[in-house]
Amino acid sequence: MRQALGPGLTGREEQGGREVMVLAASALLSCIGVLREDPELAFEMLIDLGGADYSTYSDPKELPLCVSYHLYSPKYNHRAWLKVYLPVEQAEVDSLSHIFAGANWYERECWDMYGIVFRGHPYMKRLLLYDEFVGHPLRKDYPILKMQPLIPMRNAVDYEAVAVRNRLDSGEKD
């Protein structure tokens, strides 16, 4: 696998007894393409994608933001753990949503919580927080006591009225 990744592989780490391959952000798409298309590797599934902020750790990284990718090869029953480190000021990496459909929501969640932008994502919109939320709450620089802007209450759906209307439309008696 190290040979297949070539110059895109910038390092390796050991975490929890597992080897982690560290990739250059600029080489992510080409490395993922190799891992997916090489018949001897066949990493065809994205199992997980998540973010992390290492800026306040006792041994902080030079590039503190991280996107972690977990791939799986059903053909060989192998797993691969990949990481891409990014700077706080320009936290951008290419989207994998056109390669793995499941990356869509993972990337939206990662952007929502950490502010990491996925270039080429088809619908980069907040997933877990409301649209008016300011900031990215899992970043270490996010203030714990930060107050968010008050927004007017949105129209709630009256599910009981909808259920009654559906029963009446189907011919049931109320």
Side-chain angles (χ1 to χ4, degrees), residues 52-171:
D53 184 350
Y54 294 111
S55 59
T56 61
Y57 278 47
S58 59
D59 181 22
K61 307 278 187 194
E62 182 181 329
L63 302 173
L65 292 180
C66 172
V67 181
S68 181
Y69 301 90
H70 296 258
L71 302 176
Y72 177 68
S73 170
K75 183 176 181 181
Y76 298 111
N77 193 25
H78 289 269
R79 294 176 187 271
W81 187 0
L82 311 169
K83 284 187 176 183
V84 173
Y85 287 99
L86 305 165
V88 172
E89 303 80 33
Q90 186 99 20
E92 290 186 10
V93 68
D94 292 315
S95 173
L96 299 183
S97 60
H98 63 283
I99 299 171
F100 300 108
N104 189 316
W105 283 36
Y106 288 137
E107 290 174 351
R108 285 179 58 194
E109 177 187 16
C110 197
W111 174 78
D112 204 2
M113 296 289 114
Y114 292 98
I116 297 170
V117 175
F118 292 87
R119 289 185 300 261
H121 191 281
Y123 189 61
M124 190 57 63
K125 185 178 182 321
R126 288 204 181 267
L127 181 66
L128 301 173
L129 301 171
Y130 55 97
D131 292 333
E132 295 84 2
F133 192 92
V134 177
H136 304 281
L138 292 183
R139 296 258 297 248
K140 301 297 185 195
D141 59 359
Y142 186 83
I144 291 175
L145 301 176
K146 181 173 176 126
M147 298 296 292
Q148 290 295 323
L150 293 176
I151 59 170
M153 193 67 149
R154 293 186 171 91
N155 291 337
V157 175
D158 183 355
Y159 290 104
E160 184 60 34
V162 170
V164 168
R165 189 173 53 241
N166 287 342
R167 281 197 309 269
L168 292 175
D169 289 346
S170 68

Side-chain angles (χ1 to χ4, degrees), residues 28-45:
L28 177 66
L29 287 179
S30 62
C31 289
I32 293 292
V34 167
L35 293 174
R36 184 178 166 95
E37 302 304 325
D38 187 328
E40 293 182 16
L41 298 172
F43 286 100
E44 298 170 352
M45 294 176 68

